Amino acid sequence: AQLDETQAHRPAAENQYVVAGLQYFFKFLRGKLTMAWAAVYEWQLLEPGLPRVPIPEEVFDAACVLMALWGMFRTAGMTRILRGIWGRPIEGAQLTLQDVHLPRRGSTLADVGVVAFFRSKGSRSGTVLQHALAKGETLEQLRAFADAGIARNVRMLPCSQEAWAKRFGAALVSLRTPKGLFSLGSVRALAATSDFMEYENLGRPQFKLRHRNPQNVAHYIPVSYTHLT
């Protein structure tokens, strides 16, 4: 099919999400989208791969401060939480306090919280339950959200994922970073790359990134490391 100029500049991943979404919401379409999947794969072959470039820690901190100065306190807080739990943007956008399990004060594990991801990617057969630990600043950010009186079934992010990306992007533009180099996906890459630089252990990023294949992590970290340095 002929594509107009707007469609032609969209990444292949968007089409993959559309087809996957059709299969998820309309079960009767499973097995009937062979041609659609073939078109997506062909598009992916024609599109060069782009690694997630880790955003430098100083730039990340400055972007969060800017959003807070603009009055976007919850958005800035969720961005810092995303970094602490190594989350995907879509996971952070869907997070509610029902997914957050804070430790009891005074318990032996009072300095560790748990964040549950019920909507993570990685399964075609149903919902996958994955977890991330929250410590230090991340745990305090989560406590602040819990103390703010937000309903437990209401999303912690006060805007849509698209608006979140635009707000973060606006902060990056104000900081005069190279256009298109960093995004919300760069936050997860920052967490993984920083951890590898400190511990030089691929097992930690594999567990925290929730990757099944260690080879993916081995490729992911060195590529990101070259950009960070």
Side-chain angles (χ1 to χ4, degrees), residues 152-188:
R152 292 186 57 80
N153 60 341
V154 174
R155 293 191 312 167
M156 297 165 61
L157 185 69
C159 59
S160 66
Q161 182 181 343
E162 181 179 5
W164 187 14
K166 288 182 178 180
R167 292 178 180 184
F168 189 67
L172 294 177
V173 170
S174 296
L175 294 172
R176 299 184 179 182
T177 60
K179 183 178 180 181
L181 182 60
F182 304 125
S183 66
L184 276 177
S186 302
V187 176
R188 195 165 186 249

Side-chain angles (χ1 to χ4, degrees), residues 3-217:
L3 299 174
D4 61 33
E5 185 176 354
T6 303
Q7 291 173 314
H9 286 82
R10 289 183 176 275
E14 289 192 10
N15 299 279
Q16 181 178 354
Y17 296 150
V18 169
V19 179
L22 287 172
Q23 284 191 170
Y24 181 82
F25 290 105
F26 303 99
K27 307 298 184 184
F28 65 90
L29 289 178
R30 290 190 176 184
K32 299 180 180 179
L33 297 174
T34 305
M35 293 184 62
W37 279 118
V40 169
Y41 293 144
E42 288 295 330
W43 194 330
Q44 288 176 334
L45 291 175
L46 295 173
E47 184 178 77
L50 296 175
R52 290 292 189 186
V53 180
I55 182 172
E57 195 84 54
E58 296 81 0
V59 178
F60 171 75
D61 290 339
C64 291
V65 170
L66 267 181
M67 287 190 289
L69 289 174
W70 292 341
M72 306 173 185
F73 300 107
R74 283 174 59 184
T75 304
M78 277 304 304
T79 306
R80 299 204 68 87
I81 289 173
L82 189 73
R83 191 256 191 262
I85 62 176
W86 299 44
R88 302 178 179 93
I90 190 173
E91 294 169 339
Q94 296 174 344
L95 202 64
T96 69
L97 288 175
Q98 289 179 332
D99 305 322
V100 177
H101 304 276
L102 297 176
R104 295 181 179 178
R105 300 184 186 276
S107 67
T108 56
L109 294 176
D111 59 343
V112 181
V114 177
V115 178
F117 301 113
F118 292 98
R119 293 167 288 270
S120 299
K121 68 178 184 180
S123 173
R124 298 181 181 179
S125 59
T127 303
V128 175
L129 175 59
Q130 298 177 333
H131 298 89
L133 299 182
K135 301 179 179 180
E137 178 193 340
T138 305
L139 180 59
E140 293 307 311
Q141 291 278 359
L142 291 171
R143 288 192 189 278
F145 272 87
D147 294 339
I150 303 173
R152 292 186 57 80
N153 60 341
V154 174
R155 293 191 312 167
M156 297 165 61
L157 185 69
C159 59
S160 66
Q161 182 181 343
E162 181 179 5
W164 187 14
K166 288 182 178 180
R167 292 178 180 184
F168 189 67
L172 294 177
V173 170
S174 296
L175 294 172
R176 299 184 179 182
T177 60
K179 183 178 180 181
L181 182 60
F182 304 125
S183 66
L184 276 177
S186 302
V187 176
R188 195 165 186 249
L190 163 65
T193 305
S194 300
D195 188 89
F196 177 74
M197 291 174 62
E198 181 175 357
Y199 297 100
E200 297 186 31
N201 184 343
L202 286 178
R204 288 172 55 93
Q206 181 185 354
F207 178 78
K208 293 189 175 185
L209 288 170
R210 291 164 278 134
H211 281 318
R212 294 180 180 179
N213 190 343
Q215 293 180 349
N216 293 342
V217 184

